Amino acid sequence: MDCRDDGEVRLGLMRELCRTRPLKYSDLDHLKKGSTKFLHENGYSLEGIAEALELGLRDVENNLKGTGYELDYRKIAPFEDKLPDNIGDVITIKVPTWGKEDVDASFKAKVRQCIPRGGGCGLSVILLEDAGVEIPLFGKCKKGDEIVVPLEWYI
């Protein structure tokens, strides 16, 4: 194995770590700040992070400084004990049935990120199966749809 192969393996490992990183490192602004912070806290160099995330070195430095929207753990901290562990985890969501006890309102989904808003927190998920019930604001959802659900629906 030559040096280039080692580098490709390292980059692949870093990218896989980002795909399954802890949920508290969600990229809320799609600028890869969560991934940047996660890799940096795990000892990777700024240059390596830039290469793995396909960012410029200046972008990595800005992400770590919190330029723009800072990766703010304070918004996530109140919910951390209730959150799924990692991005990519398969979880069960149960939609409230409001008195219709005979309805199966649960389905499997894959976690994409957490979304703290106001005093609450939601989960962005991708459905792994069709939802058997209508989901408020989304209606009927099918396998592969991406939706946001309140954290309270995660069981």
Side-chain angles (χ1 to χ4, degrees):
M1 189 181 276
D2 63 26
C3 289
R4 194 174 70 191
D5 291 340
D6 287 344
E8 289 301 315
V9 168
R10 181 182 51 82
L11 290 176
L13 174 63
M14 291 170 74
R15 290 175 181 142
E16 182 59 28
L17 285 171
C18 287
R19 278 191 286 277
T20 59
R21 68 190 180 274
L23 198 55
K24 72 179 186 176
Y25 293 98
S26 289
D27 289 322
L28 302 179
D29 57 8
H30 305 289
L31 296 176
K32 302 180 182 178
K33 289 181 183 173
S35 297
T36 302
K37 183 83 168 170
F38 174 67
L39 290 173
H40 187 258
E41 288 182 357
N42 281 280
Y44 289 97
S45 70
L46 300 183
E47 294 80 9
I49 294 169
E51 189 175 2
L53 300 180
E54 299 174 345
L55 295 171
L57 187 56
R58 183 97 168 124
D59 295 324
V60 171
E61 291 168 347
N62 286 340
N63 281 353
L64 292 173
K65 288 180 196 169
T67 305
Y69 297 100
E70 185 176 351
L71 182 65
D72 190 353
Y73 295 129
R74 290 175 299 174
K75 292 179 182 176
I76 297 172
F79 310 104
E80 202 164 5
D81 62 330
K82 299 174 189 162
L83 291 172
D85 292 330
N86 299 306
I87 293 171
D89 283 357
V90 174
I91 62 171
T92 301
I93 300 293
K94 184 171 172 99
V95 178
T97 57
W98 292 286
K100 299 177 185 172
E101 302 304 323
D102 59 334
V103 176
D104 181 15
S106 62
F107 54 88
K108 299 280 186 202
K110 186 164 79 170
V111 178
R112 291 234 15 209
Q113 66 182 9
C114 68
I115 304 174
R117 287 263 159 59
C121 187
L123 293 173
S124 173
V125 297
I126 298 173
L127 274 65
L128 297 176
E129 58 192 22
D130 294 347
V133 297
E134 286 200 21
I135 300 170
L137 301 177
F138 293 98
K140 285 280 189 184
C141 294
K142 304 250 183 254
K143 179 179 178 176
D145 288 349
E146 183 175 347
I147 63 172
V148 177
V149 297
L151 184 59
E152 294 79 20
W153 294 4
Y154 161 54
I155 57 172

